[in-house]
Amino acid sequence: MALLKSINKKAKAYLNSGFGINTNSYGGRFVNKNGTANVEKRGMNILHRISWYHTLIDMSAWKFMLILLTFYVCINFVFALCYFAIGIEYLNGIDSSASDFVKFGETYFFSAQTFTTVGYGHISPSGFMASAVSAFEALIGLLSFAIATGLFFGSFSRPIAFLKFSHNAIIAPYGDSTALMIRMTPFKNTNLTDAEAKVTVGISMEDNGKMSNKFYSLDLEFDKINALTLSWTLVHPITEESPLYQFTKEDFESVNGEILVYIKTFDDMFSSTVAVRTSYTFGEVVYGAKFKPMYSQNKSNTKTTLHLDQLNDFEDVVL
């Protein structure tokens, strides 16, 4: 407790963090590891509080394809039921002597052909109701494929900062003292320039007899670099002005705190600024360690090899 009280004296609180100060109002961490806010929104209909466009754009490729396939199967099943309810006698080309299973299968594939506007001609609707349903289904199919195409384009054309962060932050030797270190690296064939980093630490501490969240901006050895082609280790020297000054291994294990990391960089391919963020709870900080090198020259000494699988490698040291 004396350590937390001393933080207020030597470190200047950061008031524009965007997070609340009341610890009783918060559950869990501020930011998830993937950079999303750890917030669950309630009190409004789900159709109003969720942007389905953003949800589908942010979705992984396999989930997006699975949703499209599921939608395609289900909507054709619904229309097949409609045709079956109207009567297969209004669908020319279906063998009326076949079993109900075969009839429904023929109806389902007719629906699929109508939905995709392929129309092979083997089966055709007759009568007002069957023709009306098939016309409506063709319209739904055109709109669905237009929306799917737009989502595909939006998903693949959206600029993304392809950066991976180390699983842990570490407290490592730094000159005559120690420093907080966080490592990141680009993992795809992108050209990232003018990278800028901001690191904030949030600590739960007692203030005027009540527990509150205090946020402090951490000074970095380098907060900007011209090109982000290899790994970049963010280094916060722990000096007397640092809110982490005199923190021990036991303090990181007992104090409730979180380190918020925000990276902004420029993607040459899209000519656009991209951003990514993550966070580390104090429990994810390894005290007394240093990162192992993750790049080296190749055997012929003609290229630099970046070992992406070594991003999280560190070794223990004595502080």
Side-chain angles (χ1 to χ4, degrees), residues 11-165:
K12 184 178 180 182
Y14 182 58
L15 302 178
N16 299 323
S17 65
F19 298 95
I21 63 173
N22 188 354
T23 58
N24 295 327
S25 301
Y26 267 93
R29 62 200 304 156
F30 298 111
V31 176
N32 296 315
K33 293 295 288 184
N34 62 2
T36 59
N38 188 30
V39 176
E40 181 184 20
K41 298 180 181 179
R42 293 290 182 90
M44 186 179 290
N45 186 282
I46 189 173
L47 296 177
H48 290 87
R49 71 173 187 264
I50 291 181
S51 170
W52 295 107
Y53 176 78
H54 286 82
T55 301
L56 291 171
I57 288 294
D58 288 337
M59 192 174 292
S60 60
W62 72 269
K63 287 184 178 179
F64 182 70
M65 293 300 298
L66 181 61
I67 286 178
L68 284 184
L69 179 61
T70 303
F71 172 77
Y72 178 76
V73 171
C74 291
I75 196 168
N76 280 300
F77 185 82
V78 170
F79 276 107
L81 287 176
C82 293
Y83 293 125
F84 207 75
I86 292 172
I88 62 166
E89 62 270 18
Y90 295 102
L91 294 178
N92 299 323
I94 295 181
D95 184 6
S96 58
S97 62
S99 65
D100 288 341
F101 179 79
V102 173
K103 293 177 184 176
F104 185 81
E106 292 279 2
T107 305
Y108 183 88
F109 289 119
F110 167 72
S111 172
Q113 295 163 15
T114 304
F115 187 80
T116 58
T117 67
V118 173
Y120 291 115
H122 171 63
I123 302 173
S124 60
S126 63
F128 177 79
M129 286 300 298
S131 298
V133 171
S134 62
F136 177 70
E137 183 181 10
L139 175 62
I140 296 297
L142 289 172
L143 293 177
S144 298
F145 280 103
I147 293 173
T149 302
L151 290 171
F152 261 119
F153 177 79
S155 179
F156 287 104
S157 64
R158 181 171 62 99
I160 300 174
F162 292 105
L163 292 175
K164 281 189 178 297
F165 293 89

